[in-house]
Amino acid sequence: MGQQDHGRVGDRTSYPHGLTRSALRQLARARKRRRWLLEALAAFACLAALVAYLGSEQHGTPREESAVLPAPPTGRPVLPPPGGAQAGAVTPGLRPRQRPPSPSPSPSTPAVPPRLTVSQAEVPARVDLSAVGPVDWVQWGLLGARTPVRKRHGSGDIRDEGGRGERQSYSNNPEAYAWHDGAPVGSADGTMSGVYTCDRGNGFTLAVAADGQDRTVHLYAGVWMARGRLDLRISGGGPASTLRLEDPHTARTADFTIRFRAPPGAKLLMTWTVEESTGDCGNVSIQAVALR
C-alpha cells in the first residue's frame, strides 16, 4: 500500500519528453498531414513543369498544315488541287492564297536577219588572193580540173559543192592570180589558169559558210560564147539575187562582189551556170573565190 507507481500520474501514462498518449497521437496526425501536403505540392510542381515543357516544345522543321475543305453540298468528293499535293504547300513569307512569283524568262539571243547584196565589176589585170582573201581563198585550174589550191591555214568556209557537166582546166585567162600563203602550192606570181564546163544547164555550185557577221565574197568568173547566170541565195530562207554575164562571140570575165549576213549554220549558195550557149562549147568558167 505504501509503494507508489512512478509510471503514472493520476490516471495518465507518462511518455518521453513529458508528452501524453493523446498529445503524441495529435503530433503523429499533424506530421502525416504535413507529409501529405508536401507530396501534393511536389506532384503539383511536377505537373506544372510537364505542362511548361510541352508548351515550349520547338520543332526542327516548320509544320505544313493542310486545310480540310468541307464537302460540297452535292456530296461529291473534293478533288485535290491541280499539280498534286505540292500545289497546296505553304511557301514561307507569303500570305494565304498568294502564289510565288514566276521566274523571269531568260533573255533570248536575237535572231540575225539575213542580208544579201551583190555588185559586178571588171577584174584587175592581177589579183593578189592573199590580200583580197585574208579569211579564206580558193583558186582553180593550176593543178588540173579537180585539184584546187587553197589558203594555207584558212578558215575552210569556202566550199566547192560540185555542179553539172564535165570540168576542164585552161591556162589562157585574161587576168592573172597571185598568192604567197597557199597549199599545196605555196606561192604564185600570176597564173592565168581556171576551169570551165560547156553547154546549157551545166555549171558550178559553190558555198560560203555564215557566222552571224557581215562577210564579203569575191567570185572571179567568166563566160566564153555564152550567157552565164549567177543565182545567189541564203540557205534556210532569206533574200536571193540573180545576175547575168554575156558575150556571144568571145571571152569575158567579172568580179562579183557579194556581201551577206546570216546566222551561224547557214551558208551563201552560189550557182554559176550556162543559161544560153551561142557557139560550139559555149561555157562558164571560175578562176577563184576570196573571203574577207
Side-chain angles (χ1 to χ4, degrees):
M1 292 293 292
Q3 189 178 359
Q4 187 177 1
D5 185 356
H6 297 284
R8 293 177 179 270
V9 178
D11 293 334
R12 298 181 183 179
T13 304
S14 178
Y15 294 93
H17 307 290
L19 297 176
T20 64
R21 179 182 296 178
S22 176
L24 288 175
R25 288 176 180 174
Q26 293 177 359
L27 179 63
R29 284 196 295 269
R31 287 178 178 176
K32 186 180 293 186
R33 286 194 297 270
R34 184 187 306 169
R35 186 171 62 251
W36 288 347
L37 179 61
L38 290 176
E39 289 176 355
L41 290 175
F44 179 77
C46 290
L47 180 60
L50 178 60
V51 171
Y53 172 75
L54 293 177
S56 61
E57 179 185 2
Q58 299 294 327
H59 296 278
T61 56
R63 296 179 180 177
E64 294 185 359
E65 298 183 4
S66 300
V68 178
L69 300 179
T74 59
R76 288 178 294 181
V78 178
L79 298 178
Q86 293 298 326
V90 177
T91 303
L94 297 180
R95 295 187 298 274
R97 298 183 180 273
Q98 183 180 359
R99 294 180 178 272
S102 301
S104 301
S106 57
S108 58
T109 304
V112 178
R115 174 177 176 268
L116 175 64
T117 62
V118 59
S119 61
Q120 178 180 329
E122 297 291 330
V123 181
R126 184 176 183 273
V127 178
D128 184 353
L129 294 175
S130 299
V132 179
V135 176
D136 199 18
W137 59 261
V138 181
Q139 197 279 332
W140 287 269
L142 180 62
L143 299 178
R146 293 292 175 182
T147 306
V149 180
R150 301 192 65 102
K151 177 181 177 66
R152 184 174 62 249
H153 307 309
S155 67
D157 290 334
I158 300 172
R159 304 165 189 174
D160 185 347
E161 299 195 344
R164 292 181 57 186
E166 182 181 358
R167 293 186 183 186
Q168 301 288 337
S169 63
Y170 69 99
S171 58
N172 60 345
N173 194 67
E175 297 84 28
Y177 295 87
W179 61 84
H180 59 76
D181 57 352
V185 179
S187 62
D189 291 333
T191 178
M192 296 180 177
S193 58
V195 292
Y196 69 93
T197 185
C198 301
D199 300 329
R200 182 177 180 178
N202 293 337
F204 305 90
T205 300
L206 308 171
V208 178
D211 64 355
Q213 304 297 321
D214 291 327
R215 313 199 88 172
T216 300
V217 178
H218 289 272
L219 168 63
Y220 301 99
V223 296
W224 186 79
M225 297 185 69
R227 181 171 69 243
R229 171 174 170 162
L230 177 63
D231 292 303
L232 305 169
R233 66 182 179 89
I234 303 296
S235 67
S241 185
T242 298
L243 281 81
R244 291 174 172 84
L245 180 67
E246 182 177 9
D247 195 316
H249 307 294
T250 184
R252 184 180 176 188
T253 58
D255 173 7
F256 296 103
T257 302
I258 305 131
R259 294 177 174 85
F260 79 102
R261 179 179 62 196
K267 56 186 177 181
L268 167 69
L269 297 175
M270 302 177 287
T271 304
W272 179 231
T273 58
V274 179
E275 187 174 53
E276 191 65 43
S277 175
T278 59
D280 185 20
C281 192
N283 63 72
V284 293
S285 62
I286 56 173
Q287 294 84 48
V289 175
L291 171 65
R292 64 178 315 118

